[in-house]
Amino acid sequence: MQYAILLHPGHNRVYFRSSLALSQTEFSFAMPRLTSDVSEGKIEEIASIPYLTFSSATPLPEEDLTLLARLSFTYGLFLRDGEGKDTCLRPIPLPQENYLPEAARTVLKYSGKTNELFTRLLLTIAYGASSTKPNGRFRLLDPIAGKGTTLVEGLLCGYDAYGMEIQSDSVLAAYQFMKKLLEEEKCKHTAHSQRVSGPGRCFTGKQYTLSFAPDKARMKSAPLLWEMTGVNSRFTDQVYAKNFFDFLVGDLPYGVQHKNQLTKKQPGFTRNPADLVTACAPAWYTVLKPGGALVLAFNAFLLSFADFQTILTQAGFDVDDSALARSLVHRVDQAILRDVIIAKKNKS
């Protein structure tokens, strides 16, 4: 059976000429999680419009359709019959996670926000690269969460979403946004906040938690969880238990809009992602499950892939330096050459 995915028109705006190649790479990372035996995806023009096409020996089950719907570039899925001028495309309805409306991904806006389509691509890569099999929901952590773009995308994928963010005003803004969104959507929800601190008050910060579902029945049986903690990410392993998360996904400071605080003894903000990762990687390794994946985007003008790989390897991670993993680099603008590093925790 032949399938064709209509590419999201926003990809051309975000990635320019890189969008087609990135779509193929994202599909390749998703393939191991598909239950069907499918061919590699390829870009084809049908009536002068680009599609990603692939084949499957059997009809795609609901589980696979759900995964395809989550791909960042998926705008529509079609069953394809015929070739050339005789091509006929029959639309296939895609399942949607309905705990939040899809519009939630575009409501949150702020300076330095990572585009939500790129964030979704990072989540697909993390899901495909990981090998964890949780009993309940997957747990996602953005260790440098900003105002929560990654968390919103994670919720739309059906994951419990957690964030660490040093700037307390960003954490509060993210919480207020989410709470207002749940109220406007009339979602059943509970809200809780508390102050967390480390031994000898080596750190202290506010933690906000929201548990929600679109109706009373699911609120009782299977609520989604959103949580953000206003603490330096180097203390992640003192806030969360060992082997707690399936994925760690985030966007490191690009040195343009982003910044991050390093330590309590160094209260200023650093734009150096190498300092940030060196300080935080051991804690990130501790909270990630064996088989879990870390996927971080970074500006290659500020930190080389080789240097990043060295830092993560020293912390215990196994970095994927395959040709597929290295194909994600792309130019965003004159000041940003964006790359992505993928690493796994393969030991307990």
Side-chain angles (χ1 to χ4, degrees):
M1 305 186 76
Q2 300 291 323
Y3 291 90
I5 299 176
L6 177 61
L7 302 181
H8 197 294
H11 262 236
N12 289 329
R13 174 177 57 83
V14 178
Y15 309 128
F16 301 101
R17 296 176 183 176
S18 303
S19 63
L20 301 182
L22 286 172
S23 298
Q24 285 183 280
T25 300
E26 182 180 357
F27 185 80
S28 295
F29 271 103
M31 283 178 63
R33 289 285 194 170
L34 292 170
T35 62
S36 304
D37 184 15
V38 302
S39 65
E40 287 284 348
K42 60 181 181 179
I43 300 297
E44 287 188 64
E45 284 197 355
I46 301 175
S48 301
I49 297 173
Y51 291 79
L52 185 141
T53 62
F54 64 95
S55 62
S56 173
T58 57
L60 298 177
E62 186 85 358
E63 182 179 353
D64 289 351
L65 293 177
T66 297
L67 176 53
L68 293 178
R70 292 177 182 171
L71 298 178
S72 70
F73 62 85
T74 297
Y75 201 60
L77 176 66
F78 299 84
L79 191 61
R80 179 184 182 182
D81 294 315
E83 296 289 339
K85 294 182 180 180
D86 296 325
T87 296
C88 178
L89 297 177
R90 186 177 65 187
I92 300 173
L94 289 171
Q96 298 292 332
E97 301 285 347
N98 58 355
Y99 274 63
L100 283 176
E102 281 291 315
R105 66 192 326 199
T106 58
V107 174
L108 182 60
K109 300 182 185 298
Y110 56 92
S111 179
K113 176 179 182 278
T114 303
N115 181 276
E116 57 275 358
L117 292 179
F118 182 71
T119 301
R120 182 61 70 95
L121 179 145
L122 296 180
L123 291 174
T124 299
I125 292 171
Y127 180 65
S130 68
S131 56
T132 60
K133 296 180 180 179
N135 293 327
R137 297 186 187 280
F138 287 101
R139 292 189 186 125
L140 160 72
L141 172 69
D142 185 344
I144 36 175
K147 292 184 180 177
T149 298
T150 304
L151 275 61
V152 171
E153 288 299 314
L155 294 173
L156 289 170
C157 290
Y159 307 151
D160 285 336
Y162 301 75
M164 299 287 291
E165 172 55 45
I166 187 63
Q167 298 187 74
S168 58
D169 56 343
S170 294
V171 176
L172 178 59
Y175 168 71
Q176 291 173 336
F177 164 79
M178 279 300 303
K179 195 168 188 302
K180 182 179 180 181
L181 178 65
L182 295 177
E183 290 169 350
E184 290 177 346
E185 294 299 322
K186 295 181 171 54
C187 289
K188 302 294 182 181
H189 65 278
T190 60
H192 174 72
S193 64
Q194 63 178 356
R195 184 158 290 278
V196 296
S197 60
R201 296 184 68 82
C202 61
F203 69 86
T204 181
K206 201 72 174 290
Q207 183 180 76
Y208 299 91
T209 306
L210 291 164
S211 182
F212 69 95
D215 53 59
K216 189 175 181 179
R218 277 179 285 184
M219 185 65 188
K220 185 176 181 180
S221 62
L224 269 179
L225 188 143
W226 176 101
E227 184 170 279
M228 278 192 70
T229 305
V231 169
N232 194 313
S233 196
R234 66 190 290 260
F235 298 117
T236 302
D237 59 341
Q238 297 187 46
V239 176
Y240 293 107
K242 181 180 180 180
N243 302 335
F244 189 74
F245 293 104
D246 299 278
F247 323 122
L248 268 67
V249 177
D251 223 3
L252 289 180
Y254 289 166
V256 180
Q257 291 284 357
H258 299 79
K259 54 187 178 180
N260 217 298
Q261 191 171 5
L262 187 58
T263 67
K264 186 178 180 181
K265 293 181 179 179
Q266 186 179 348
F269 287 94
T270 176
R271 293 182 186 273
N272 188 333
D275 292 343
L276 174 62
V277 176
T278 300
C280 299
W284 297 346
Y285 182 86
T286 299
V287 300
L288 190 63
K289 292 179 182 179
L294 173 147
V295 177
L296 295 174
F298 63 100
N299 186 355
F301 288 146
L302 299 181
L303 176 63
S304 71
F305 184 93
D307 288 343
F308 204 161
Q309 182 176 16
T310 297
I311 295 170
L312 291 179
T313 300
Q314 290 174 346
F317 288 98
D318 293 328
V319 175
D320 184 353
D321 58 0
S322 65
L324 181 64
R326 298 296 292 117
S327 68
L328 290 160
V329 62
H330 59 283
R331 192 69 171 259
V332 176
D333 59 32
Q334 189 173 3
I336 301 174
L337 179 66
R338 187 161 55 191
D339 204 349
V340 177
I341 198 161
I342 305 161
K344 288 187 70 174
K345 177 179 177 178
N346 289 323
K347 300 176 183 179
S348 60

